[in-house]
Amino acid sequence: MQRIENIVFGLRAVILAILAVITIVMFYFAIQLRMDAGFLKMLPVGNSYIETYFKYVDGFGGGNRIIVVLENKKGDIFSADFLKTLNDATQDVFYIPGIARHRVTSLWTPNTRYIAVTEQGLEAGDVIPANFRPTPEGIKTVMQNVLRANLVGRLVSTDFRSAMIAAELLEVDPETHQKLDYFKVANLLEKNIRAKYTNADTDVKIVGFAKLIGDIADGAKSVVVFFAVAFVLTCLMLWLYCRSWLLTIVTVSCSLCSLIWQFGVLHLMGYGLDPLAVLVPFLVFAIGVSHGVQQINMVGAEIAAGLDKDAAARATFTFLLRPGAVALLTCLAGFATLYIIPIGMIRELSVTASIGVAFKIISNLVMLPLIVSYVAPGAEYGDKVRHAMEVRAKFWPFLSAIAKPKQAFIFIVFCLILGAVGLYESRERQIGDVHAGAGELWPNARYNLDSEYIADHFRLGLNVMNVIVESNDVACVDYDKMRYIDTFTWDMRNVPGVQTVVSLPFVAKSINSMWQEGNPKWAALPRDPTALAQATSSVASSTMLVDTECKTLGVQIYITDTKAETVKRVVDATEAWINDPAHKRDDLKLRIGTGNVTITSATNTVVEHAELPMLLYVYAVVMTLVIFVYREWRGALCCVIPLVLATIIGNWFLTAAGIGLKISTLPVLAIAVGIGVDYGIYEYNRIQRYMRMGVSPHQAYLQALNDVGSATMFTGGTLAIGVSTWSFSALKFQADMGLLLTFMFIVNMIGAVTLLPALVAALEYIWPLKRKPLTEEEARAIRHAH
């Protein structure tokens, strides 16, 4: 360490000049960083549902849908003015960039057809014919065709006051051949559809991934305000702690420099900032402040002990490089383990955060002490620090009592009971959305109000799961196969949470009834292959119910919402039916495939299965690093057990607060563990040093509190205050993350200053460790530091 110190401080001017140049260059690239969103990167790679999704997305539709609903405020949809408005809106949707134009569906599109029984036989045609005229007779014809085509609840609301335009988006714009700009699409939907057609007579509802991500991006812009508020609060709190504006500015500036490096590198790597991960840069900034406080705390203590600014900076660099590097590497590992989750957005978040934390090793452990060696205050500042330390020291004997054997065992038992209660209470935690609508937005957000309206007035809305039926030969004329699919359709219609189910047999029964003069008793599947062919041949592949060869069929299951319990209930019922031995067939295979509900279910499954391995990897890295650096497996346990308890209590908090575990909340647990270990490492580093001098755990902890206790508590409190401001965000998931992080920061801080020393004391009492005596040089260095 002494050799490293001499090299670094011998070249401090050169190192700072190089870092200054890097900061200027990276700032140029950082200001070019933009928000970036994509539908495909939200899909879990390798999941069997998603593999089926990609195989059949072209023929049976995906989950990247846009639904526009126009509501007539002053009557039903069968008026000349409204139908003209609907036609104009359909054309505008048709020309939005990235729209799969062959999939656009409304009353005006040619893929919306009817079949009717007339005196001359069967009649088929467009619901709104090409020669339509807005006369009373023409409008009456449209009304009849809507009823003939059974579009009520599908493209027309059940109260006849609204009409739907449905479309799908492509990931690549077919005109520009560039990746689709979802923010542009969301802006065009708002500008060219909602703003254009909303008036005293008409209201517009819009839902879909592109609209949701646009609303999230608009709300995420407010994070700049909260970042500014948190930044100001952090600066004020830091000044209150260290009583030096100079040291406050230096500490915050170093953290900002690493943030600039992070943004610049992300841009050079081709990454953008996902709206769902926009909070990560602030958290990385907060981690930098956390380590900066430890640096400034020791610099002040060294100046108070009589050292000049150069010697104080050198001592701080040498003493804190090891624990700081261990803490930051552990934090980096916490973010890096997120990469095991096979979802593109989370992997991007993992890379983004890992780069930021890695830069903190340079900015806070090297750059900060080097700058301090030039600008730190003099002896008068040492007097202020000494006075502050004397005031704080009056509190430490009360807290340090927890490191006495009797109190330690009592507190450990209390924590075990608390952990058991937390495990029990968190058993009802939801994996996925807890509430209907988009969980990222508040219930009264326009998007969620639109979603609620569509769910209430349409049976076929945005939330659909397609089950793909694979046949070894033509299924449309095989009564046995059609009957099998019809049975599945009926059973799924009776699952709670399912609005309706549409399949080829379901449509074929209606067509068969038409062939029998519309007699409802003939609404059944004919057994004769010729009659069955007659009932199914008019169902086109554009309906996404059957392919052109009739060897692959789709069963569309529409559900009320995408709440975790609803999705799980429907998917579990579907899987149970498919895997039931009574339903097994060699000539038919059912697979859950396309649709947004399929994606939601796959994502929830991946999150549920990835949570425990991710946390175990983080804990393993913590233990490995602590054992490697401090040569004590007991110390590793003392650092990890408080983190485990904090995670359990965090899950309890999620359950109590009604927050589901999903891709926007799962990273927070890893983040909380990564930041929480910082507190423990700095505490344990001091305790271990003093115990090596031969003092008891209680005395070692008392001295550690004098050294870093106030810095640890201040950091936890400051970070909690900073993120608590997010509770006022326009985005619900940001507010939820603010509450969760505030809670986790405080819990981790309390665990570091209570449970960690209690565990050290308990282990030392049960199994006293024989320590190698200090050399005279080591003892002198520790006495000097103290």
Side-chain angles (χ1 to χ4, degrees), residues 309-594:
K309 57 186 178 183
D310 182 66
R314 283 174 172 267
T316 300
F317 171 82
T318 303
F319 192 76
L320 294 184
L321 181 61
R322 184 171 65 168
V326 171
L328 284 170
L329 287 173
T330 305
C331 190
L332 188 152
F335 286 118
T337 53
L338 290 172
Y339 203 83
I340 69 173
I341 303 175
I343 298 176
M345 191 277 288
I346 292 186
R347 286 183 168 175
E348 280 191 17
L349 183 151
S350 173
V351 172
T352 300
S354 298
I355 291 173
V357 172
F359 283 144
K360 297 298 176 189
I361 296 176
I362 300 173
S363 65
N364 289 85
L365 303 185
V366 178
M367 183 178 179
L368 179 56
L370 290 182
I371 295 177
V372 167
S373 68
Y374 284 110
V375 302
E380 70 284 355
Y381 176 70
D383 295 335
K384 292 182 182 179
V385 173
R386 192 179 304 108
H387 175 70
M389 292 176 66
E390 291 171 354
V391 172
R392 297 165 188 158
K394 297 176 182 178
F395 173 71
W396 302 140
F398 299 100
L399 182 58
S400 65
I402 203 166
K404 295 179 179 179
K406 180 180 179 180
Q407 289 88 332
F409 281 111
I410 293 173
F411 186 72
I412 291 172
V413 171
F414 168 77
C415 289
L416 289 174
I417 295 172
L418 185 64
V421 173
L423 286 173
Y424 179 80
E425 292 293 337
S426 60
R427 72 194 187 283
E428 299 296 332
R429 186 192 59 180
Q430 298 289 321
I431 308 295
D433 284 321
V434 177
H435 306 288
E440 292 78 11
L441 305 175
W442 291 104
N444 61 351
R446 179 62 191 262
Y447 184 92
N448 282 335
L449 295 177
D450 289 352
S451 298
E452 183 181 2
Y453 178 91
I454 293 172
D456 290 343
H457 293 80
F458 293 84
R459 292 193 297 270
L460 278 65
L462 182 69
N463 304 317
V464 60
M465 177 177 73
N466 290 337
V467 177
I468 306 299
V469 183
E470 300 171 335
S471 174
N472 58 356
D473 56 14
V474 177
C476 297
V477 294
D478 189 323
Y479 171 79
D480 192 36
K481 292 180 179 179
M482 293 289 284
R483 177 65 178 170
Y484 177 85
I485 299 171
D486 189 45
T487 301
F488 173 70
T489 301
W490 172 259
D491 289 346
M492 290 301 102
R493 287 172 73 94
N494 289 279
V495 174
V498 173
Q499 285 182 304
T500 190
V501 182
V502 181
S503 65
L504 181 62
F506 175 79
V507 175
K509 287 190 291 185
S510 298
I511 297 174
N512 187 57
S513 173
M514 294 178 186
W515 281 103
Q516 311 304 324
E517 299 182 350
N519 193 327
K521 75 176 184 179
W522 289 97
L525 290 172
R527 295 176 180 271
D528 182 71
T530 304
L532 194 54
Q534 179 180 256
T536 59
S537 59
S538 58
V539 181
S541 59
S542 60
T543 62
M544 295 180 286
L545 296 177
V546 62
D547 67 356
T548 54
E549 297 179 349
C550 204
K551 289 186 177 181
T552 307
L553 288 76
V555 180
Q556 301 170 357
I557 303 175
Y558 291 87
I559 69 174
T560 54
D561 53 61
T562 53
K563 290 194 295 185
E565 58 181 357
T566 306
V567 172
K568 182 173 176 57
R569 186 191 310 117
V570 174
V571 172
D572 286 351
T574 306
E575 287 283 10
W577 199 99
I578 294 173
N579 296 320
D580 188 341
H583 298 143
K584 287 291 185 180
R585 295 180 58 129
D586 295 331
D587 56 349
L588 287 176
K589 183 177 181 181
L590 274 64
R591 300 167 62 178
I592 295 178
T594 62

Side-chain angles (χ1 to χ4, degrees), residues 153-324:
R154 299 168 62 188
L155 291 179
V156 176
S157 64
T158 52
D159 61 1
F160 295 96
R161 297 174 64 89
S162 306
M164 177 187 294
I165 306 168
E168 285 195 22
L169 282 171
L170 304 172
E171 190 69 11
V172 176
D173 189 336
E175 293 185 356
T176 63
H177 303 290
Q178 300 294 320
K179 181 181 176 182
L180 185 62
D181 186 344
Y182 282 91
F183 306 118
K184 180 181 179 181
V185 172
N187 183 58
L188 289 175
L189 286 170
E190 199 66 32
K191 179 181 177 181
N192 293 355
I193 306 297
R194 195 193 302 275
K196 183 176 180 180
Y197 296 107
T198 299
N199 51 49
D201 298 328
T202 309
D203 194 19
V204 179
K205 330 284 183 183
I206 308 175
V207 296
F209 174 78
K211 189 68 187 75
L212 173 61
I213 208 69
D215 288 355
I216 292 174
D218 289 340
K221 294 175 182 177
S222 65
V223 78
V224 177
V225 176
F226 294 109
F227 181 87
V229 172
F231 179 82
V232 172
L233 287 174
T234 300
C235 291
L236 289 175
M237 295 291 291
L238 188 55
W239 176 80
L240 288 173
Y241 179 77
C242 69
R243 293 293 179 175
S244 169
W245 280 115
L246 190 59
L247 293 180
T248 297
I249 293 172
V250 169
T251 304
V252 172
S253 298
C254 288
S255 290
L256 287 176
C257 283
S258 62
L259 203 61
I260 292 172
W261 305 342
Q262 177 187 6
F263 284 170
V265 170
L266 286 175
H267 176 72
L268 291 174
M269 293 175 64
Y271 283 102
L273 270 184
D274 193 283
L276 291 174
V278 73
L279 303 178
V280 172
F282 172 76
L283 293 175
V284 174
F285 169 77
I287 292 171
V289 172
S290 171
H291 287 270
V293 169
Q294 297 288 348
Q295 298 275 335
I296 295 303
N297 179 69
M298 185 168 176
V299 166
E302 295 295 334
I303 293 176
L307 298 184
D308 60 28
K309 57 186 178 183
D310 182 66
R314 283 174 172 267
T316 300
F317 171 82
T318 303
F319 192 76
L320 294 184
L321 181 61
R322 184 171 65 168

